[in-house]
Structure formats: C-alpha cells, structure tokens
Amino acid sequence: MAIPNKATGAGNNNAQNVFKLTFSNALSSAPKIEAWDNSQTFPAKDSAGTTTAKEIFTGTAGNSSKPMLYLAATTSAAPGANWKPASASAGSANPNRLKGSTNYVTDPTTPGAGGAILFNIGLEVPYDASVPSSSSAAHMIQVRYTYTGSAPSLTWAFNEGSEGTPSWTTITPGTHGLRYCNSSTSWAAGPYKLTLPASGTVDAGEIGVTA
Amino acid sequence: MSEEIKETEITCKICGRKVMTDGSGDFSSFICEVCQEKANLPAYEAEMLEYEGGDKEGLTESQLRRVSFLQDKINAVKAILQEEEDAAKAAEEKK
C-alpha cells in the first residue's frame, strides 16, 4: 500500500485508528490540534497558522456560518458512532469543530518520549459552498505543544490497514495532503471529488492522503 | 430528564474577554471570535480584491454569494474597530 490511499475509518465513523502523530521526545502538556488557513499553493504550506478567513472556517449562509472541519482526539478511545459535533464549542472540546485557536481539540494525554496521539477528522460542506474549492477550502492542520529539554521531532501517519490491525504509512507535511471525497473514490486513479447536494449539507464519505 | 451542561468561563489570551464554554481541555491558547475576526480582516480584504479585480459578470453564483458574505464581514469588523477607536478617544478626552 502507498500514497495516495484512503485513510481507514476517516470521517464521521466510530474509528479510533485513523491518523497518528508520534513525538520523539516527551511533551510537557497535552497537545492541541487546530486548523488554519493555508495561504500557499498546495503542496506548499504556511509555517504557522494566523488567519481563519477562508470559507472552510467562516462557513456559509447554508450552514449558519459554522466551521466545516471537525475532529475527535481518539488516543484514549474510539469517538463513538456519529460523533460529529453539531456546532463549535468555544476554545477546546473533544470532539470539536475546528477554527484556529477559537475552536480546537486538546488531546486527553501528554505523550512521553516516542509516544503518539490518535485522531479522526471529517468535513461537512453545505450546498452553497464555493465551487471550485481549491482556494476556499485550503487549510492546514497544526499541533500546538510544549516540552522541556530537547525539542521533539514529529511523525505524521495514516492508517491503511484495518481498525483492528492498523498499518501506518508516514505522511510528509508540505508534500502530501488530505482529500475529502465521495464514498467509493478510486484512490489510485481519482477523480478526487466531493459532490455538493442540492440542499442541506454533505459529509465527506472518504478521506485520503494524496500526493 | 435533561442532562446538566457544565459550563466553564474561559479568557481570550489577546483581549482578556470572558466567554462561557461547554468544552473541555486546555484553554490557555484561546482566541475569541472578535480578536480572530480582526486578525482575519486583511485576508478578507485581499480575497475581496481578487474578486473585484476580475469581471463580476464572470463570477459564479457561489462566488457572488461569497463576495456579499465578505462585504458583510469587512463591514462588521470595521465597525468593531471604529467602536474601539471611539471608546479609546473618549477615554483619552476624559483624562
């Protein structure tokens, strides 16, 4: 298996082993997972998030101006069925909708050296979202962490195996990206599309990592 | 039977505004909506310029909706900034 491929269980599913972030050295507090605008053209990325002005964060009239991304920290347990939060909670919550440092998720653990956190992520898009979405949905996932002593190096990965027997493949930030797609997407050949509904919202049925 | 929702008061690390939340976790990096919207203003204006630089006739329906949304956002943030400026001036005059 290799990139591009589907991240097993990603989205509004009861899956614990979807994305993994490993820290080479111990942290001194629980890491926080955030999402911000990416003003660069993929695969380039900003060094750090500063704004949440893109439509993926501002929402539209069709979803009552809600952030579209949602995330659950699953390090300690699976998120449960249909875990998508209806709306964003101010500050931290688990799960939560994502919008910079205004709405984010704190992992329930503080990893030691070589420790890892797990998370699942989803996207809910309203019918009236901008098309094409190449700029309006350009975002990056950012983890905020603290440490004492040596800085940790971080290794991002996604699960290409099963929920019960995960097989982790490394993701390289600035090279690989996430695609939020329809169910039954051909991850080897594409197309990588999420079809908007005539009304209401649609959740990405599959999420994968692509070059 | 309704479940009790536990609320916590959290503080914006930029302006000190207090906000109630039903969330949990580490709130030390919290930035309130108002401060984030102020930080977003240049990005809203830059995106608006992209649309204004092009031919409005050629914009899709979703792009036209976004232009209207951006204009509302820009006006709202500028109104907040103006209010803050007026309040600061009034406080200065009182001295």
Side-chain angles (χ1 to χ4, degrees):
Chain A
M1 305 288 267
I3 293 171
N5 209 355
K6 174 182 166 183
T8 304
N12 191 24
N13 307 303
N14 186 22
Q16 181 177 17
N17 295 303
V18 183
F19 294 101
K20 182 165 85 166
L21 178 57
T22 305
F23 299 87
S24 64
N25 292 325
L27 302 189
S28 56
S29 64
K32 289 169 273 190
I33 312 168
E34 308 165 345
W36 296 86
D37 288 341
N38 182 22
S39 65
Q40 307 286 310
T41 302
F42 179 82
K45 61 176 181 59
D46 295 327
S47 56
T50 53
T51 61
T52 55
K54 291 186 183 284
E55 192 176 81
I56 196 168
F57 299 112
T58 62
T60 65
N63 77 348
S64 307
S65 305
K66 288 178 192 172
M68 300 179 198
L69 280 170
Y70 50 90
L71 186 143
T74 59
T75 311
S76 301
N82 193 24
W83 56 269
K84 176 181 66 178
S87 56
S89 291
S92 172
N94 186 24
N96 204 357
R97 300 248 173 176
L98 297 181
K99 186 180 177 183
S101 284
T102 303
N103 313 111
Y104 56 93
V105 174
T106 307
D107 190 83
T109 68
T110 300
I117 62 171
L118 300 170
F119 61 92
N120 196 348
I121 192 166
L123 180 73
E124 179 197 69
V125 184
Y127 73 95
D128 59 348
S130 293
V131 178
S133 61
S134 46
S135 173
S136 62
H139 66 280
M140 57 183 194
I141 305 297
Q142 173 173 296
V143 173
R144 190 180 297 272
Y145 58 92
T146 59
Y147 58 91
T148 55
S150 305
S153 57
L154 277 54
T155 305
W156 299 77
F158 73 106
N159 181 13
E160 291 191 273
S162 64
E163 171 69 5
T165 311
S167 172
W168 298 104
T169 298
T170 299
I171 303 169
T172 306
T175 299
H176 303 125
L178 298 185
R179 293 273 197 179
Y180 302 85
C181 296
N182 294 321
S183 298
S184 304
T185 291
S186 168
W187 286 94
Y192 306 108
K193 287 185 177 176
L194 180 61
T195 307
L196 294 182
S199 62
T201 61
V202 64
D203 287 274
E206 292 186 3
I207 299 166
V209 176
T210 191
Chain B
M1 212 171 98
S2 64
E3 202 174 311
E4 190 189 344
I5 297 172
K6 219 171 126 186
E7 292 226 314
T8 308
E9 188 179 70
I10 59 176
T11 306
C12 173
K13 73 170 185 180
I14 295 176
C15 70
R17 186 179 277 107
K18 309 279 187 194
V19 175
M20 297 304 290
T21 182
D22 59 355
S24 61
D26 181 348
F27 300 112
S28 59
S29 56
F30 171 64
I31 295 175
C32 73
E33 291 274 1
V34 175
C35 288
Q36 187 57 57
E37 286 295 77
K38 284 195 247 175
N40 287 345
L41 182 60
Y44 290 140
E45 290 177 326
E47 187 181 346
M48 188 64 124
L49 276 178
E50 280 174 29
Y51 291 121
E52 285 172 346
D55 177 9
K56 273 241 171 68
E57 297 287 311
L59 295 182
T60 64
E61 203 179 313
S62 60
Q63 287 171 327
L64 287 170
R65 278 196 299 268
R66 180 67 177 169
V67 167
S68 168
F69 186 93
L70 285 170
Q71 193 59 65
D72 289 348
K73 282 274 186 194
I74 290 167
N75 291 344
V77 179
K78 284 188 170 171
I80 291 168
L81 292 171
Q82 188 62 54
E83 266 178 37
E84 287 180 352
E85 198 182 310
D86 293 346
K89 271 185 194 162
E92 190 61 34
E93 281 167 10
K94 265 190 178 177
K95 280 183 184 173

